[in-house]
Amino acid sequence: MRLILMGPPGAGKGTQAKVISGRLGVPAVSTGDIFRANVSQSTPLGVEAKRYMDAGDYVPDEVTNAMVRSRIAEPDAEGGFLLDGYPRTVAQVEELDAMLAESGHQLDAVVVLTVDQDEVVARLLKRAEIEGRADDTEDVIRRRQEVYADQTAPLIAVYRDRGLLREVDGMGSVEEVSARVFAALETDDATAAG
Ligand code: B4P
């Protein structure tokens, strides 16, 4: 199964990606996590990514695309993967399409978590207290929301037109949201072949 998990910052992508990938037995590929791992190890990729992430901006497409290309070519992703936070721009959609075409695979579904704006801000400020992420300050959260609305929200229509979109209510407990995601996937003809 090849899935994409989308949603605004704080929608619960990272949280749900762990649950879904565990249940489906495919690796969760989180671009945000890969960038953060590189930042913490001060690799050249991390040094570059940090400049953008701390400001709430997207890391340039060329950098992100190359990183995903190499990650999904690893053996554990041969049988499928769950992309958490990728693609986020039209250029990334095009690049992912090219990667899939080259490997002869197709996407099975694109899950979008929907949440109230107030709720996502509250979640991220709570995480700021716990984890102290540099991009979880109120100003940067606001910037990340703007970038999402501007660059990523338009992708929803792209995948809807392809018949792949599954919109899932992301409000409520983690367990409630997971149950909705699995229900959306199970009732979805597009994923049956996965
Ligand atoms: P991400 O790491 O993907 O950050 P995010 O959008 O904020 O999502 P995240 O996964 O962290 O939040 P989640 O909703 O799971 O990206 C960070 C940065 O990396 C981006 O701003 C960008 O700079 C860069 N980047 C990443 N991908 C990129 C790409 N493709 N192109 C360019 N740049 C890219 O969780 C939020 C909080 O809510 C957590 O604390 C969680 O515990 C909590 N939560 C989750 N579900 C909940 C629930 N049901 N109830 C209550 N709390 C919940």
Side-chain angles (χ1 to χ4, degrees), residues 35-183:
F35 285 135
R36 276 186 292 280
N38 278 275
V39 169
S40 71
Q41 291 159 27
S42 296
T43 66
L45 172 65
V47 171
E48 160 130 41
K50 185 173 172 23
R51 292 194 287 140
Y52 299 96
M53 294 172 77
D54 285 358
D57 290 324
Y58 287 165
V59 179
D61 288 329
E62 314 80 71
V63 177
T64 310
N65 286 334
M67 188 177 84
V68 172
R69 179 178 279 278
S70 94
R71 176 62 188 90
I72 65 174
E74 285 178 26
D76 68 333
E78 250 171 42
F81 48 73
L82 169 65
L83 294 173
D84 160 17
Y86 180 92
R88 288 193 199 208
T89 65
V90 171
Q92 292 180 14
V93 171
E94 289 168 358
E95 185 66 16
L96 177 62
D97 287 344
M99 291 180 220
L100 290 165
E102 284 164 29
S103 62
H105 293 122
Q106 292 185 348
L107 284 174
D108 295 293
V110 177
V111 174
V112 179
L113 297 176
T114 58
V115 272
D116 294 349
Q117 180 127 337
D118 289 350
E119 169 73 9
V120 291
V121 174
R123 286 182 188 179
L124 294 175
L125 290 175
K126 188 170 166 203
R127 181 170 68 187
E129 282 174 25
I130 300 166
E131 296 179 20
R133 249 172 70 168
D135 59 349
D136 278 343
T137 63
E138 200 152 356
D139 283 353
V140 180
I141 292 169
R142 205 167 298 127
R143 172 71 190 147
R144 286 159 64 200
Q145 288 179 327
E146 282 171 13
V147 173
Y148 178 85
D150 185 40
Q151 300 198 45
T152 307
L155 308 191
I156 292 173
V158 171
Y159 287 118
R160 183 182 288 122
D161 287 350
R162 296 185 190 183
L164 291 172
L165 197 72
R166 305 293 161 242
E167 286 189 273
V168 171
D169 179 3
M171 301 289 284
S173 71
V174 172
E175 293 74 19
E176 285 167 341
V177 177
S178 301
R180 287 184 207 128
V181 170
F182 287 116

